[in-house]
Amino acid sequence: MNIYLNANENPFNTVDRNLINELLFSFDYNRYPDLDYKKLKSELSRITNRKVENIIPTNGSDELIQLILLAYSKENENILSHIPTFSEYEKISNYLGRNFIGVKPKKNLKVDKDVFIQKIKEYNPKIIFLCSPNNPTGELLKEEFIEEVLNTSNNMVIVDEAYIEFSGKTNIKLLNKYENLIIMRTLSKAYGLASLRVGYGLTSEKNIDFLNEYRMPYNISGISQFIATETLKLIDTKKYVENILNEKQRIIKELKKINIEYLNSESNFILIKTINNNGVLKALKENKIFVRTFNDEYLVSYIRFNIGNREENDKLLSILKDVVGNG
Ligand code: PMP
C-alpha cells in the first residue's frame, strides 16, 4: 500500500460519505453552480467570524495566488517573498512575467527579518507574500513582524495561513487595521478536502470586489461547493488537529532518540536533515512511502514529510531508524 506523506494533507477522511452519497443522488447536475457561493460563504463566515462580504472562495488557494498576482501587479513589477517557501508564489510570478525576489534565510533557515524589511524599502514590491506557518520550514511568523511588513509597505501584503489550524495563531484581527492585507486560507489541509479544491481569501470588501473582477465565473464546481459546505457544517477539526499534533510530538521524540536533525514546526509537517539522503530515499521508495525532496540550495539535504496516521508514522519511523539510526 502506498503511503503519501509528501503533500501535507490530512491523513483522515473528514467527509460523511453516507450523507454525501444520498445528497449527490438528487443533485441538480444540469444547473450551473451558485455564482456567489452563498451557502459555502455562509459556512466560511461562521468558521472565520468574518462577514460574507469579506470572503472570496477560489479553486484552491493556488488559484487565489494567481488572482492576486493578476489583480495587483503588472508585468516586470516586483513581487517579494522569503525563501525557502511555498514554490507557487515564485512559479506563478514567473509565468506571468513578474519579477520575483526571494529574500534569503538565516543560517537556521528562518526568515531574516531585518534583511526582509530592507528589501521592501529597496524594491518597493507590488505584492509581498508571507507564509505562516511557513511551508516547508514550519516557522510561524510573529505578529510584530507581520505588522512591521504592513507598516513598511503601502502595497499588498498576503499572509498565507494554509496551515494555521495546526498552530492555532491566526492573524485575522490585523484585517481590522490594515486595508492592504489579504489572508489566504484553504480547506485542503486541516479540513481534509484537498481534492475538492477550495481555498479562500479574507480581506476588505473593496479588495474582494477588485479581486472578483479577475475571477472566472463558476471557478469552484457545484459539487465541490456542495460537499465543502456540508462537511463544514459537521466537521470538528479539533479532533483531527489534536491527533496530528500528538503524533508529531511522538515522532519528534523518536527523531531525537536517533539523532536526526529537524526543524521545529508549527504545522503538520517536519523538515529533517538526513545524513545519507540517498539511502533514506531509496529505503522510503522501496517501502512505497512518498516524501517531499527539494532541489534548491537551502534544502538539498532535507526531506519534508507530513504527519500521517499512527500506522503510517510507525512505518516511516521504522525505516528512519533502520537506515539512519545507527549512522
Ligand atoms: N499555500 C501553502 C503554503 C501550501 O503549502 C499549499 C499547498 N501545498 C497551498 C497554499 C495551496 O493549497 P490549495 O491550492 O490546495 O488550497
Side-chain angles (χ1 to χ4, degrees):
M1 206 181 59
N2 293 345
I3 296 180
Y4 295 101
L5 303 177
N6 56 335
N8 298 342
E9 298 149 343
N10 187 330
F12 304 108
N13 167 43
T14 62
V15 173
D16 183 334
R17 288 179 201 265
N18 289 332
L19 173 76
I20 299 295
N21 280 345
E22 210 175 291
L23 293 171
L24 282 184
F25 186 76
S26 51
F27 194 83
D28 287 331
Y29 294 94
N30 55 325
R31 304 288 172 202
Y32 279 108
D34 176 13
L35 199 53
D36 296 325
Y37 317 111
K38 279 187 268 319
K39 291 181 179 158
L40 175 60
K41 276 207 275 195
S42 140
E43 281 307 304
L44 293 173
S45 160
R46 187 181 57 76
I47 63 167
T48 56
N49 241 329
R50 307 296 301 181
K51 288 197 231 138
V52 288
E53 293 81 9
N54 297 116
I55 303 172
I56 180 169
T58 51
N59 199 270
S61 40
D62 285 339
E63 190 197 32
L64 183 56
I65 298 169
Q66 187 188 45
L67 258 185
I68 291 169
L69 282 161
L70 284 170
Y72 291 104
S73 68
K74 295 194 180 70
E75 246 181 279
N76 298 322
E77 287 183 335
N78 293 337
I79 311 297
L80 192 84
S81 191
H82 45 85
I83 53 170
T85 189
F86 184 44
S87 52
E88 292 300 320
Y89 314 139
E90 178 167 4
K91 200 170 146 200
I92 303 175
S93 295
N94 286 344
Y95 75 62
L96 291 177
R98 275 57 171 166
N99 180 35
F100 181 87
I101 299 150
V103 179
K104 292 178 182 166
K106 293 196 287 197
K107 265 215 173 84
N108 58 9
L109 294 187
K110 291 199 171 190
V111 176
D112 195 329
K113 301 188 176 69
D114 295 337
V115 174
F116 198 86
I117 297 294
Q118 243 173 284
K119 296 285 175 191
I120 298 176
K121 292 176 185 160
E122 187 180 336
Y123 290 101
N124 189 24
K126 277 290 155 77
I127 302 170
I128 297 169
F129 285 100
L130 301 174
C131 187
S132 180
N134 186 34
N135 173 14
T137 61
E139 179 183 4
L140 187 77
L141 299 175
K142 291 210 171 71
E143 189 181 290
E144 300 86 80
F145 172 63
I146 295 174
E147 281 218 60
E148 199 182 346
V149 170
L150 283 157
N151 288 325
T152 310
S153 174
N154 293 320
N155 297 328
M156 297 309 289
V157 176
I158 318 304
V159 180
D160 186 346
E161 293 194 343
Y163 301 96
I164 204 69
E165 293 85 0
F166 301 104
S167 80
K169 295 180 195 105
T170 174
N171 299 287
I172 275 189
K173 73 173 194 307
L174 293 180
L175 288 168
N176 302 329
K177 205 168 154 191
Y178 297 94
E179 172 77 27
N180 58 332
L181 170 64
I182 300 177
I183 290 190
M184 297 206 318
R185 294 279 190 86
T186 180
L187 301 186
S188 301
K189 309 298 175 184
Y191 285 87
L193 300 176
S195 183
L196 298 185
R197 312 304 302 125
V198 180
Y200 59 99
L202 301 170
T203 186
S204 70
E205 205 175 329
K206 186 177 143 227
N207 291 337
I208 297 281
D209 289 347
F210 189 58
L211 284 166
N212 269 326
E213 297 286 315
Y214 291 82
R215 179 174 66 80
M216 289 289 160
Y218 316 116
N219 58 327
I220 306 178
S221 82
I223 303 248
S224 286
Q225 290 187 43
F226 174 68
I227 300 178
T229 306
E230 292 307 314
T231 303
L232 286 175
K233 284 182 194 163
L234 299 172
I235 193 172
D236 173 15
T237 45
K238 270 198 223 105
K239 77 174 181 208
Y240 301 107
V241 169
E242 248 170 49
N243 185 315
I244 289 166
L245 294 182
N246 286 339
E247 280 293 288
K248 183 169 78 174
Q249 288 319 318
R250 186 173 75 89
I251 291 173
I252 285 174
K253 259 193 202 156
E254 297 302 317
L255 293 178
K256 278 184 183 156
K257 278 188 206 159
I258 51 175
N259 286 324
I260 290 189
E261 217 181 289
Y262 64 92
L263 266 68
N264 279 329
S265 165
E266 297 266 0
S267 194
N268 67 332
F269 52 80
I270 304 176
L271 200 59
I272 60 169
K273 199 165 192 175
T274 52
I275 315 158
N276 64 347
N277 222 330
N278 288 334
V280 176
L281 287 178
K282 190 163 162 270
L284 291 172
K285 205 170 172 192
E286 276 164 12
N287 286 277
K288 297 192 174 128
I289 300 182
F290 295 83
V291 294
R292 178 74 153 86
T293 55
F294 304 87
N295 295 322
D296 69 88
E297 62 173 299
Y298 302 106
L299 300 171
V300 274
S301 55
Y302 286 88
I303 289 174
R304 189 199 70 199
F305 60 84
N306 67 261
I307 315 302
N309 64 33
R310 196 175 174 99
E311 200 186 330
E312 292 168 338
N313 300 335
D314 279 342
K315 192 95 198 267
L316 173 83
L317 282 170
S318 83
I319 289 161
L320 290 179
K321 279 178 194 165
D322 277 357
V323 186
V324 185
N326 39 22

